[in-house]
């Protein structure tokens, strides 16, 4: 059965049973507790928690998922993957265990034709009800096993919904391992479907085995997940997912690149499967807006890319790898997942740039590794330290496996135990920081959920009005609900009706004021969404006392709102112009829309030139000056996309979306506030462009009044500069060039004269050379020289020493700093002696260290008073070197 038929069979089965078909959410979830979408239920989490009423009682989906917890097992087992498609059916307070189990059994046996005699089930330890359900439909107790919390109690790994689960397994036969059921062998008995009975909420804890159950969820639910890949393995009669129709074309591409067949076992088989599996994951991640970086989701993507490249190198693929394998994924999975085809150009450019960058990293790491190996050999060590391996891994992204391999080739080992300790410490630091943030967020979320459950969604009236008569529904202080807040208090509050726009889509939250009938006055300093459709206002009590239940009048700062609206409309126009000029790959990847200014992040593979920035600014202002109408309309998501509306990275949209058109050149899904006509934005002035990550650029600009202020500021600076140059403003640049040319000429003349002076001083110093056993010495203090001139002078003296062997040491002071320079003369330059040896002890006396290579060295420290002592020590060191080696 082809994978497309597997999907359609699943979806048809459940839509025929009144399940609402829901499209997959992006891999980047709208959930601060999740790095990536890891289950089909992620997008339905608010329904289970009671934050948002479910719009339908049951649903079905094919969800894109990414998990990296088992990344090291990818390629080594037949069931682990970093990306997978999860087929899932869901119930929100509708059906529960009996119906879920019956649906599952009917679909796998009749829909997919699996042999009922080869089906096994596992249940949670005390879940007798599930056992009775399985027995009732035909699976005997001999093929039902009870397992513990680690296996049969499901959670997302973070605070949220959880519950016992029952898993359905398929016996692949004795060729895959020993008998005994899933409890004994999970390679032979492959899990195909996980049925989760979502009935509890979990809090903070230590992984899956140690967390508190907070109580029953507002409504019991069903969340199931069947891995398309595992089912395809069984139905297509192959060993692992790389051999299914999902990835077989990509595996074939890897074989062509490696110029060898896919082996049946061994290390090469692992490498083939890693490259193939990771290619699909990276293509989907980039298509959903993830870019490689050194943190978060970007680090996950970068790790997959580098792991694939490393395994490609192990297969002998030294040329470009990632563009070819991700291209294969796009070609063969694009018909089922159109976003791959739509983002094909971006995917190709990202993976090519990252592979080239990693090639440079490998070369840089190799140099550092070679130096570490040399140091180990010189010190007669038998192993590279764990610290060295960790620095290569953490700072330069050099895989520890390559470090071990290179060390082995050099006859050394690596202290992998120490490396593992350092890596675990780093991971624990990151995990602890994340837990602290998650715990604080959880406390606030619980308070928001409680208020939302009592009062429902916020009635936002800010599109129509900047004021609203309202009531205070709740007050919060540090996540705690309070009844009253007095003057000087800083609190959060929830209003029944609000005109304040909550931060979202890059647009900052509104500010303003709140006045109660009882005389309390508050400054609203920020507004954001605590939950979907639930506004939370940050406020400071200026006068009086605010109490829950008070009637009040809310008023938005209209001047600021208008300035923010100008920036938001300007951002839409800027987005359209950037895509027009650079290409469709230059999509918005984040923004800040603020009072009089904007930040716009977009994908591009090189910095923009001054000419490109000028062109962008000119086009933006021309479009706005034409005064296009700004029109807002609503449609369902599919209709909006069909009409060409752009959906932005990282944003979550409901089924009915708000679309903002600016003229006939910009159409985006957007919930923000805008001007009515383009000319109301005023001027837009780009003030800079910079890099904010690999292949990610940022344009910053002023809008409206701030753009005019910026122009006025630059005009004042130009007038001041022209005054200093004694020219007119329009002649200032030419006048400045003339002054700079004169200055450069004068500087050159000063340097020539200074060089002549140093040459003369060098000749005088050379005449004072002291003859000692083995050669001559020039040791002394000089004044009125810089550190660079001190080195030049020492080198010049060394070149003038008449004898064949000589050492020069000169010193000077600059305030409280002492500086030394040493130079070798004559035959000493080719002898293997390092000038740094002369200064080692002297440098310590002035509180510093010696540096330099070969015949010239220098030192510096903060003990200027000890310069004389340092020169004496340097003289002794130099004399010892001469007498010991050249007498």
């Amino acid at each position: 059965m082809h994978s497309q038929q597997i999907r359609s069979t699943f979806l048809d089965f459940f839509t025929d049973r009144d399940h609402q078909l829901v499209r997959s959410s992006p891999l980047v979830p709208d959930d601060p507790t999740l790095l990536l979408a890891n289950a089909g239920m992620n997008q339905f989490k608010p329904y289970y928690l009671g934050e948002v009423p479910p719009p339908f009682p049951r649903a079905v989906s094919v969800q894109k998922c990414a998990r990296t917890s088992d990344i090291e097992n990818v390629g080594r087992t037949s069931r682990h993957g970093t990306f997978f498609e999860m087929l899932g059916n869901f119930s929100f307070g509708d059906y529960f265990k009996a119906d879920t189990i019956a649906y599952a059994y009917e679909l796998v046996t009749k829909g997919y034709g699996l042999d009922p005699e080869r089906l096994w089930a596992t249940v949670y330890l005390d879940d007798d009800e599930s056992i009775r359900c399985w027995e009732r439909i035909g699976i005997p107790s001999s093929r039902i096993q009870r397992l513990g919390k680690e296996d049969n109690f499901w959670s997302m790994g973070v605070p949220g919904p959880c519950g016992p689960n029952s898993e359905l397994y398929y016996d692949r036969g004795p060729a895959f391992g020993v008998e005994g059921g899933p409890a004994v062998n999970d390679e032979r008995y492959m899990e195909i479907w996980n049925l989760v009975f979502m009935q509890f909420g979990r809090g903070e804890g230590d992984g899956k085995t140690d967390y508190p159950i907070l109580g029953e969820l507002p409504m019991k639910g069903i969340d199931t997940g069947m891995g398309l890949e595992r089912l395809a393995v069984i139905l297509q009669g192959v060993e692992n997912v790389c051999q299914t129709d999902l990835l077989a074309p990509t595996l074939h591409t890897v074989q062509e690149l490696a110029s060898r067949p896919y082996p049946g076992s061994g290390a090469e088989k692992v490498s083939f499967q890693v490259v193939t599996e990771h290619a699909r994951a990276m293509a989907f991640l980039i298509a959903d807006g993830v870019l490689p970086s050194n943190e978060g989701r970007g680090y996950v993507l970068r790790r997959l890319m580098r792991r694939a490249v490393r395994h490609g190198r192990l297969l002998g693929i030294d040329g470009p790898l990632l563009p070819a394998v991700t291209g294969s994924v796009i070609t063969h999975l694009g018909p089922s997942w159109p976003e791959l085809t739509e983002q094909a150009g971006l995917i190709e450019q990202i993976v090519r740039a990252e592979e080239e960058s990693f090639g440079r990293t490998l070369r840089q790491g190799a140099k550092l590794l070679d130096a570490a190996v040399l140091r180990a050999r010189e010190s007669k060590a038998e192993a590279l330290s764990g610290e060295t391996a960790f620095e290569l891994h953490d700072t330069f992204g050099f895989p520890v496996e390559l470090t071990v391999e290179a060390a082995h080739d050099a006859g050394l080992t690596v202290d992998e135990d120490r490396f593992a300790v350092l890596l675990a410490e780093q991971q624990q630091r990151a995990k602890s920081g994340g837990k602290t943030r998650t715990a604080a967020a959880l406390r606030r979320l619980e308070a928001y959920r409680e208020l939302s459950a009592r009062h429902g969604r916020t009635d936002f009236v800010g599109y129509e009005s900047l004021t609203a008569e309202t009531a205070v529904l709740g007050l919060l202080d540090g996540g705690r609900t309070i009844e009253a807040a007095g003057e000087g208090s800083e609190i959060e509050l929830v209003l029944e009706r609000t005109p304040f726009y909550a931060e979202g889509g890059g647009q900052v939250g509104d500010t303003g004021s709140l006045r109660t009938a009882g005389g309390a006055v508050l400054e609203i300093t920020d507004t954001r969404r605590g939950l979907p459709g639930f506004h939370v206002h940050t406020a400071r009590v200026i006068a009086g006392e605010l109490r829950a239940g008070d009637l009040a009048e809310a008023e938005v700062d209209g001047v600021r709102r208008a300035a923010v609206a100008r920036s938001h409309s300007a951002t839409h126009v800027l987005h359209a112009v950037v895509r027009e000029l650079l290409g469709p790959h230059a999509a918005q990847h984040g923004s800040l829309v603020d009072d009089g200014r904007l930040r716009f992040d977009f994908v591009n593979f090189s910095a923009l030139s001054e000419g490109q920035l000028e062109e962008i600014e000119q086009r933006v202002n021309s479009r706005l000056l034409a005064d296009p109408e700004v029109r807002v309309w609503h449609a369902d998501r599919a209709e909006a996309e069909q009409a060409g509306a752009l959906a932005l990275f990282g944003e979550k949209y409901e089924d009915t979306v708000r679309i903002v058109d600016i003229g006939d050149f910009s159409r985006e899904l957007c919930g923000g506030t805008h001007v009515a006509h383009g000319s109301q934005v005023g001027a837009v002035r780009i003030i800079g462009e910079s890099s904010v990550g690999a292949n990610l650029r940022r344009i910053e600009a002023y809008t409206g009044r701030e753009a005019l202020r910026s122009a006025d500021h630059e005009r004042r600076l130009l007038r001041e500069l022209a005054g200093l140059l004694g020219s007119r403003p329009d002649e200032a640049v030419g006048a400045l060039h003339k002054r700079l040319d004169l200055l450069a000429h004068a500087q050159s003349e000063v340097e020539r004269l200074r060089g002549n002076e140093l040459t003369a001083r060098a000749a005088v110093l050379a005449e004072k050379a002291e003859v000692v056993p083995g050669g001559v010495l020039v040791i002394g203090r000089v004044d009125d020289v810089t550190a660079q001139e001190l080195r030049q002078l020492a080198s010049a003296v060394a070149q003038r020493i008449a004898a064949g062997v000589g050492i020069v040491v000169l010193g000077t002071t600059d305030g409280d700093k002492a500086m030394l320079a040493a130079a070798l003369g004559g035959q000493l330059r080719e002898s293997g002696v390092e000038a740094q040896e002369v200064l080692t002890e002297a440098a310590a006396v002035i509180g510093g260290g010696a540096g330099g290579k070969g015949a010239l060295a220098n030192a510096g420290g903060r003990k200027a008073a000890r310069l004389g002592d340092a020169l004496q020590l340097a003289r002794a060191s130099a004399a010892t070197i001469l007498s010991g080696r050249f007498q």
Side-chain angles (χ1 to χ4, degrees), residues 49-93:
L49 291 174
E51 296 172 359
V52 178
F56 30 74
R58 44 179 76 182
V60 61
S61 71
V62 179
Q63 173 66 45
K64 297 176 291 187
C65 295
R67 294 180 187 173
T68 57
S69 55
D70 295 314
I71 188 172
E72 299 302 332
N73 289 321
V74 172
R76 303 183 188 280
T77 73
S78 60
R79 65 188 190 282
H80 287 104
T82 54
F83 175 89
F84 57 96
E85 296 181 38
M86 183 172 281
L87 312 172
N89 59 289
F90 309 89
S91 166
F92 314 113

Side-chain angles (χ1 to χ4, degrees), residues 118-390:
R118 300 176 74 172
L119 294 177
W120 287 66
T122 63
V123 301
Y124 187 51
L125 288 171
D126 60 1
D127 191 357
D128 296 332
E129 181 183 355
S130 289
I131 290 180
R132 289 193 297 271
C133 291
W134 284 119
E135 290 177 335
R136 194 158 50 239
I137 63 173
I139 296 184
S141 59
S142 59
R143 296 207 306 273
I144 303 173
Q145 295 179 325
R146 297 178 188 264
L147 297 178
K149 184 177 291 185
E150 185 69 26
D151 297 290
N152 278 86
F153 196 97
W154 188 91
S155 81
M156 294 165 55
V158 295
C162 63
N165 64 280
S166 180
E167 296 176 340
L168 191 60
Y169 289 78
Y170 184 77
D171 181 1
R172 304 169 73 194
F176 293 91
V178 299
E179 62 182 26
V184 174
N185 188 312
D186 52 11
E187 277 292 312
R188 170 174 172 172
Y189 301 90
M190 180 177 281
E191 177 201 337
I192 56 174
W193 207 343
N194 186 10
L195 316 176
V196 179
F197 311 123
M198 202 76 72
Q199 59 190 106
F200 302 112
R202 66 158 282 190
E204 278 294 320
D206 181 17
K208 288 187 176 181
T209 59
D210 180 23
Y211 55 81
I213 298 297
L214 301 178
E216 293 271 348
L217 293 174
M219 67 170 67
K220 289 183 180 180
I222 291 297
D223 156 32
T224 84
M226 176 158 59
L228 171 64
E229 292 76 8
R230 295 187 183 185
L231 191 56
V233 165
I234 293 169
L235 293 177
Q236 295 174 18
V238 295
E239 180 190 354
N240 60 68
V241 65
C242 293
Q243 296 169 303
T244 68
D245 71 292
L246 290 161
L247 285 175
T250 305
L251 178 62
H252 180 69
T253 299
V254 180
Q255 293 178 73
E256 290 181 335
L257 293 170
S259 300
R260 69 187 77 181
Y262 173 61
S265 61
E268 280 196 356
K269 178 183 178 183
V270 172
S271 293
F272 269 105
Q273 293 176 180
V274 167
V275 175
T276 301
E277 197 282 335
H278 286 4
R280 181 174 60 153
M282 63 184 78
F284 273 93
L285 284 167
I286 296 170
D288 274 3
V290 179
L291 297 179
S293 69
N294 288 328
E295 58 185 12
R297 304 177 183 103
Y299 180 71
V300 170
L301 175 59
R302 175 162 285 168
R303 186 182 177 196
L304 293 174
M305 290 177 164
R306 293 187 168 186
R307 193 164 187 258
V309 170
R310 186 178 74 81
H311 279 275
R313 298 291 189 270
L314 295 177
L315 292 173
I317 306 173
D318 293 324
L321 166 67
L322 301 186
V325 292
T326 53
S328 172
V329 171
I330 294 166
T331 298
H332 295 284
L333 294 181
S336 298
W337 296 99
E339 57 265 43
L340 291 175
T341 305
E342 293 166 4
Q343 299 296 335
L346 176 63
I347 294 168
E348 193 275 337
Q349 289 175 294
I350 292 292
V351 298
R352 184 180 297 281
E354 185 67 15
E355 184 169 2
E356 291 172 355
S357 173
F358 186 44
R360 293 190 292 271
T361 295
L362 288 175
R363 290 190 290 273
Q364 181 184 24
K367 292 179 183 177
L368 295 167
L369 183 56
D370 290 343
V373 168
L374 181 61
R375 287 195 302 271
R377 282 175 167 169
E378 290 176 346
S379 63
K380 304 274 192 282
E382 296 181 354
L384 293 181
S385 69
E387 282 76 8
T388 296
F390 182 74

